[in-house]
Amino acid sequence: MRVLLRVEYNGGAYCGWQRQKNGLSVQEVLANAVFEVTGERSVMHGSGRTDAGVHAIAQAVHFDTHTKIPLDKLPIALNAHLPKSVRVKSAREVQGNFNARFDALSKTYLYRLYASPVSSPLKEGFAAFVPKKPNVQEMRRAAEYIVGEHDFKCFQAAGGHVKTTVRTIESLIIEEKGDEIIFEVTGNGFLYNMVRIMVGTLYYVGIGKLRPEEVKEIILSKDRTRAGKTMPPEGLYLKQVRYAED
Amino acid sequence: MRVLLRVEYNGGAYCGWQRQKNGLSVQEVLANAVFEVTGERSVMHGSGRTDAGVHAIAQAVHFDTHTKIPLDKLPIALNAHLPKSVRVKSAREVQGNFNARFDALSKTYLYRLYASPVSSPLKEGFAAFVPKKPNVQEMRRAAEYIVGEHDFKCFQAAGGHVKTTVRTIESLIIEEKGDEIIFEVTGNGFLYNMVRIMVGTLYYVGIGKLRPEEVKEIILSKDRTRAGKTMPPEGLYLKQVRYAED
């Protein structure tokens, strides 16, 4: 039986989603809990990697099991063997050829930044601190050039290896909430570090280092060096992964 | 010169506000930063203690110094010597007989709890998890018996030693925000663990273990054993301390 889990985690406690030699990964912690509960050594297939410090509100993970535990009881059983920084929120059966990565129709990420004279101990690790308040209207104008199907090579970090850098951004919403600015971006796929570089580029627009129209030019140039800085991981949250079966 | 600081901190990283033999306190960390900046060993006088795990959005702290550093630059100087879990947000001069504890006219605390089938890794340490969603209307009815001047001995934890247990609660507002319930309580003073026991008692009302009217009886009884459980520290935030000079 193939099972699809939705998993919330605090990325600050891990070296990222993917198993690594030095550092504890969410994948490893989850595989260990599955082993404790089922006695089986199963590979945990995530919808994609998240870097160290990046959070997940609902990472999607599939794995195979012969467990007799009813699926509605599986989250409780797994959570009993997981640290509090990782929680399985739901489990359901999917078809035997389902793949959490390749079957994802779209993903939604949040990015939280806050502008304040002094950094906030209570937001530390959960939102990116910027000293200068960006102009949200200008960032929204720039965001219009990002929405749609484009070659986003300019927003791909070194180390990304994919056949095509063309992706479709379905929506990019920017909201203010107190001293926070929250970016919610949905797309059919994301390149390595794409959201963090995209937000860094929009932030440059917000503080006047780039004009909104320049974002269009940067995309067309396919030149990473013209885009903004990669924003820090702690502001990023994988919010949702959608599948045809949902 | 006597200086009043407003300090934000993540209480999860400390044994509490007050200096202790085993464990790092916010008071100690702040005194060390003051020493680094001024060369002076000053005592940090807080508006009151906060327990391990309890956060402060704005703890008020006074101390004496002969520093020549302009007061508007003092937060930057201190923050350079503080861990990211403690931040001085402002500094101003006060009269030589000002006392952060005894001159406080009122304090406001927040308490965040959330009801969810599964605990949230992203709220871990920042809000108290309860498995059962309480009825907010019932809790609001009960809160009406708390507002006002009363002998709150029933809400005082063992270990509290004060001349009188009479306090005035100026307001107690309960709001729902997603799966969170946020209590905001302002009063002229609080007994040891008073907010956490008060919220625990209101929670019992919310889940039907107590009727709203029983809160009135519990207050009159002055009997701690009749009130609710002490809620965990991580949901509690010292939000504001008010003085006549503000």
Side-chain angles (χ1 to χ4, degrees):
Chain A
M1 171 176 60
R2 187 156 288 188
V3 173
L4 173 63
L5 305 175
R6 306 286 176 152
V7 183
E8 178 176 329
Y9 51 83
N10 177 344
Y14 299 95
C15 68
W17 162 258
Q18 195 168 58
R19 213 179 256 273
Q20 285 186 22
K21 276 180 195 161
N22 34 11
L24 189 66
S25 67
V26 181
Q27 194 179 31
E28 186 179 343
V29 160
L30 198 58
N32 289 344
V34 167
F35 176 71
E36 292 290 337
V37 168
T38 66
E40 300 163 336
R41 288 277 172 212
S42 302
V43 178
M44 301 294 118
H45 298 269
S47 72
R49 303 181 191 182
T50 55
D51 285 334
V54 174
H55 309 293
I57 298 169
Q59 168 71 291
V61 182
H62 86 255
F63 71 101
D64 293 321
T65 177
H66 298 97
T67 186
K68 294 275 188 305
I69 299 169
L71 278 188
D72 61 326
K73 298 279 181 288
L74 191 60
I76 300 164
L78 291 172
N79 289 335
H81 293 277
L82 284 167
K84 284 184 172 179
S85 49
V86 180
R87 278 292 172 267
V88 175
K89 303 209 287 189
S90 68
R92 67 178 179 84
E93 189 174 355
V94 286
Q95 294 192 321
N97 60 351
F98 175 90
N99 186 293
R101 181 171 168 205
F102 299 112
D103 291 347
L105 297 180
S106 74
K107 285 184 184 175
T108 299
Y109 284 94
L110 292 184
Y111 198 95
R112 287 173 61 190
L113 62 81
Y114 69 104
S116 172
V118 179
S119 72
S120 165
L122 294 165
K123 295 189 180 188
E124 181 67 24
F126 294 98
F129 166 63
V130 290
K132 204 170 166 181
K133 193 176 163 67
N135 181 316
V136 172
Q137 291 309 323
E138 290 290 278
M139 292 196 293
R140 284 182 183 143
R141 281 186 53 208
E144 290 176 26
Y145 298 110
I146 294 173
V147 173
E149 186 185 71
H150 301 284
D151 186 332
F152 285 111
K153 195 156 186 259
C154 67
F155 293 151
Q156 178 180 242
H161 299 289
V162 284
K163 280 182 202 159
T164 166
T165 45
V166 174
R167 295 289 184 277
T168 301
I169 297 300
E170 294 162 26
S171 66
L172 204 175
I173 298 157
I174 307 172
E175 289 198 89
E176 273 188 279
K177 208 170 153 186
D179 63 3
E180 281 195 28
I181 292 150
I182 300 160
F183 302 76
E184 182 170 317
V185 54
T186 299
N188 69 345
F190 291 87
L191 306 169
Y192 186 51
N193 278 354
M194 180 167 161
V195 179
R196 290 162 58 189
I197 299 170
M198 195 187 283
V199 171
T201 306
L202 289 171
Y203 179 66
Y204 273 4
V205 171
I207 60 171
K209 273 186 97 161
L210 289 172
R211 284 174 291 110
E213 305 76 38
E214 281 179 278
V215 170
K216 186 182 180 180
E217 294 162 25
I218 291 166
I219 293 171
L220 289 172
S221 78
K222 302 177 190 176
D223 183 356
R224 168 69 189 94
T225 65
R226 291 187 59 186
K229 276 200 289 193
T230 306
M231 294 292 279
E234 66 264 25
L236 188 61
Y237 295 73
L238 174 55
K239 187 185 176 187
Q240 209 182 344
V241 188
R242 279 174 216 82
Y243 299 97
E245 307 184 25
D246 276 339
Chain B
M1 170 176 60
R2 188 155 286 187
V3 174
L4 173 62
L5 305 176
R6 307 285 175 152
V7 184
E8 178 175 331
Y9 52 83
N10 176 344
Y14 299 94
C15 67
W17 161 256
Q18 196 168 60
R19 215 178 253 275
Q20 282 186 23
K21 275 181 196 160
N22 33 13
L24 188 67
S25 67
V26 181
Q27 196 179 31
E28 187 180 343
V29 160
L30 199 57
N32 290 344
V34 167
F35 176 71
E36 292 289 337
V37 167
T38 66
E40 299 164 337
R41 286 278 172 213
S42 302
V43 178
M44 302 293 118
H45 298 269
S47 72
R49 301 182 193 184
T50 54
D51 284 334
V54 175
H55 309 292
I57 298 169
Q59 168 72 290
V61 182
H62 87 256
F63 71 101
D64 294 321
T65 177
H66 297 97
T67 186
K68 294 276 187 307
I69 298 169
L71 278 187
D72 61 328
K73 298 280 180 288
L74 191 61
I76 300 164
L78 291 172
N79 289 336
H81 293 276
L82 285 167
K84 284 184 173 179
S85 50
V86 180
R87 278 292 172 266
V88 176
K89 302 209 287 189
S90 68
R92 66 177 179 87
E93 189 173 353
V94 286
Q95 294 193 322
N97 62 351
F98 175 90
N99 187 293
R101 180 171 168 204
F102 299 112
D103 290 347
L105 296 179
S106 74
K107 285 183 185 178
T108 299
Y109 285 93
L110 292 183
Y111 198 94
R112 287 173 61 189
L113 64 80
Y114 69 104
S116 172
V118 179
S119 71
S120 165
L122 293 166
K123 294 188 183 191
E124 181 67 24
F126 296 97
F129 167 64
V130 290
K132 205 170 167 181
K133 193 177 163 64
N135 182 316
V136 172
Q137 291 307 324
E138 291 289 278
M139 292 197 293
R140 284 183 184 143
R141 280 185 53 208
E144 290 176 27
Y145 299 110
I146 294 173
V147 174
E149 186 184 71
H150 302 284
D151 187 332
F152 286 111
K153 192 156 187 255
C154 68
F155 293 152
Q156 179 181 243
H161 299 288
V162 283
K163 280 181 200 161
T164 167
T165 45
V166 174
R167 295 288 183 278
T168 301
I169 296 299
E170 294 162 27
S171 66
L172 203 176
I173 298 157
I174 307 172
E175 288 196 271
E176 271 187 281
K177 208 170 151 186
D179 63 3
E180 281 194 29
I181 292 150
I182 299 160
F183 302 76
E184 181 169 320
V185 55
T186 298
N188 69 346
F190 291 87
L191 305 168
Y192 187 51
N193 278 354
M194 179 166 163
V195 179
R196 290 162 58 187
I197 299 170
M198 194 188 281
V199 172
T201 306
L202 290 171
Y203 180 67
Y204 274 4
V205 172
I207 60 170
K209 273 186 98 161
L210 289 172
R211 283 174 292 107
E213 306 74 40
E214 280 179 278
V215 170
K216 186 182 181 179
E217 294 163 24
I218 290 167
I219 293 171
L220 289 172
S221 77
K222 301 179 192 175
D223 183 355
R224 168 69 189 94
T225 66
R226 291 186 60 187
K229 276 199 290 192
T230 307
M231 294 292 277
E234 66 264 26
L236 188 60
Y237 295 73
L238 174 54
K239 187 187 176 186
Q240 208 181 343
V241 189
R242 277 174 218 82
Y243 300 98
E245 307 184 27
D246 276 341

